[in-house]
Amino acid sequence: MRLNGEIGEEEEKKVAECLNTQAYSISGGFSQPQSQKLVVGYALTSKKKKSFLQPKLLCLARNKGIFFVPIDLKRPLSDQGPFDVVLHKLSGKDWCEVIEEYRQKHPEVAVLDPPDGIQHLHNRQSMLQDVADLNLSDCHGKVGVPRQLVITKDPSSIPYEVAKSGLKLPLVAKPLVVDGSAKSHELSLAYDQFSLTELEPPLVLQEFVNHGAILFKVYIVGETIKVVRRFSLPNVSKCELAKVSGVYRFPRVSSASASADDADLEPGVAEHPPRPLLEKLARELRRRLGLRLFNIDMIREHGTRDVFYVIDINYFPGYGKMPDYEHIFTDFLLSLVQSKYKKRPAT
């Protein structure tokens, strides 16, 4: 099955072999009768197509009666389909207007996800505000956000603004705008006040929280939650802070290549956040953001068992690196459409 040339010949062969050797009835999870088809129109960046629309996912989806169809961006969206689900991750004002207009005209189609909610996560100042407003102290742990400061002025003003705010060094610096580029995921660690002028606004400065060099990536797909461990920045001791100066840049700290799931770690560092805490956090963020596809980057304050911080939220993250993502995502799509049909008025 060729998807606009995005999948190469080798991948096509794998998909074809899979379809020829597997039955259409899948044991466990949801299944779709052969006579029914679920059509998912997708509008994704080239990078997202490559990482998400992998042969194994397409094969399993086909066996469950799910078909992924590329959306032609040169044609009106309403003239295409019909779709049961529209899956998108494109940026730009024009696309946001297109998808919002489509949502209004086609309430019977499940659009993943509303552009307003996605835009909320494109700014690191607004993305963590919903977490800061939560009160989860009664859910087997506490969740907060690091103290942070937004800098939009010239670099020479940063030391003064930091001193004025009372933020403590070291500070993590991140680009203010998250646009999907590699640069927007870069971060820097500033050890002293004088080096702050080396940073490039607009940016967000967060107080660095020692967390045992482990970050938890909490993947959300509808109501399903999957947690993986990633290696992160090491703790910074008071002695190190007194001796080290300058700004140290890191391209992408918690990428999939930094997996810590099989690492030999201290139990207090390796233990996942409590499930009830994650469930309530995910439920509240789904409600506040209006999103069903996102992930949360969490850390546990070193030396504690139940004090956590959310440091980033990403829309439609790299699910291809999430364990068993093919089954999770296809089951989610089927349940999503089934719930849509149940809500439709009888005719």
Side-chain angles (χ1 to χ4, degrees):
M1 180 173 60
R2 175 74 66 169
L3 296 179
N4 261 14
E6 301 299 339
I7 297 176
E9 292 182 5
E10 288 301 316
E11 286 82 358
E12 282 192 73
K13 290 179 181 178
K14 292 178 182 177
V15 175
E17 290 172 3
C18 178
L19 295 177
N20 289 332
T21 56
Q22 291 190 23
Y24 271 75
S25 178
I26 304 295
S27 59
F30 292 94
S31 61
Q32 189 85 337
Q34 279 185 262
S35 59
Q36 296 182 16
K37 294 181 181 180
L38 190 159
V39 181
V40 180
Y42 67 87
L44 306 173
T45 63
S46 297
K47 180 181 177 182
K48 183 57 69 176
K49 291 176 190 176
K50 185 176 180 180
S51 66
F52 179 72
L53 293 175
Q54 296 182 18
K56 190 176 178 181
L57 171 68
L58 297 175
C59 172
L60 180 62
R62 188 73 171 268
N63 283 342
K64 293 186 176 184
I66 303 171
F67 294 82
F68 287 89
V69 177
I71 290 172
D72 187 347
L73 300 181
K74 297 179 181 179
R75 294 173 53 207
L77 184 53
S78 291
D79 291 350
Q80 301 178 59
F83 302 122
D84 298 291
V85 178
V86 168
L87 184 65
H88 70 104
K89 190 175 184 181
L90 296 176
S91 58
K93 182 180 178 181
D94 290 345
W95 173 252
C96 288
E97 291 176 354
V98 166
I99 200 69
E100 183 58 37
E101 181 182 358
Y102 182 83
R103 287 181 68 235
Q104 299 301 324
K105 288 184 177 179
H106 298 274
E108 76 281 3
V109 178
V111 175
L112 299 171
D113 267 315
D116 286 349
I118 298 171
Q119 286 296 118
H120 196 69
L121 298 187
H122 285 174
N123 183 297
R124 283 195 165 96
Q125 182 178 20
S126 61
M127 84 162 50
L128 298 183
Q129 188 57 51
D130 287 301
V131 180
D133 293 340
L134 295 178
N135 180 13
L136 304 179
S137 57
D138 60 342
C139 296
H140 305 272
K142 300 177 182 178
V143 178
V145 298
R147 294 181 63 203
Q148 66 178 32
L149 174 68
V150 175
I151 300 291
T152 58
K153 301 178 182 178
D154 64 283
S156 63
S157 69
I158 299 179
Y160 170 76
E161 295 293 339
V162 168
K164 179 181 170 184
S165 68
L167 261 62
K168 297 179 181 178
L169 295 164
L171 295 175
V172 177
K174 303 177 183 179
L176 178 62
V177 177
V178 183
D179 59 9
S181 67
K183 187 174 179 59
S184 69
H185 290 284
E186 292 180 355
L187 62 84
S188 302
L189 191 61
Y191 279 84
D192 67 282
Q193 195 168 16
F194 299 105
S195 65
L196 293 173
T197 57
E198 300 176 23
L199 301 173
E200 300 176 11
L203 52 81
V204 170
L205 295 174
Q206 291 180 346
E207 284 189 340
F208 180 75
V209 177
N210 283 334
H211 52 282
I214 292 296
L215 176 145
F216 300 100
K217 294 195 85 70
V218 183
Y219 290 98
I220 313 294
V221 181
E223 296 185 4
T224 300
I225 300 171
K226 277 280 188 178
V227 184
V228 299
R229 284 192 297 267
R230 296 278 190 265
F231 285 114
S232 181
L233 298 178
N235 291 345
V236 178
S237 66
K238 291 182 179 180
C239 180
E240 181 184 357
L241 185 58
K243 293 180 179 179
V244 179
S245 61
V247 172
Y248 294 82
R249 291 178 169 81
F250 304 89
R252 191 153 187 167
V253 175
S254 59
S255 64
S257 61
S259 174
D261 283 332
D262 298 323
D264 185 14
L265 302 169
E266 296 179 15
V269 173
E271 183 182 6
H272 284 184
R275 194 73 185 181
L277 182 69
L278 293 179
E279 288 174 351
K280 185 164 185 179
L281 175 61
R283 184 167 61 250
E284 286 297 320
L285 288 179
R286 278 198 306 269
R287 182 179 66 82
R288 288 168 178 257
L289 298 172
L291 301 177
R292 286 160 286 190
L293 303 176
F294 60 97
N295 91 287
I296 307 164
D297 287 351
M298 291 181 70
I299 57 175
R300 173 190 283 111
E301 185 173 358
H302 190 61
T304 74
R305 185 178 181 183
D306 61 355
V307 179
F308 299 92
Y309 292 89
V310 173
I311 58 174
D312 248 333
I313 305 175
N314 303 291
Y315 173 67
F316 202 158
Y319 287 119
K321 302 299 182 182
M322 181 180 75
D324 203 28
Y325 94 101
E326 302 90 354
H327 286 88
I328 291 171
F329 214 93
T330 51
D331 281 356
F332 163 66
L333 291 173
L334 291 171
S335 65
L336 184 68
V337 172
Q338 287 176 4
S339 66
K340 273 271 185 182
Y341 278 117
K342 288 180 181 177
K343 292 177 181 178
R344 290 181 184 178
T347 54

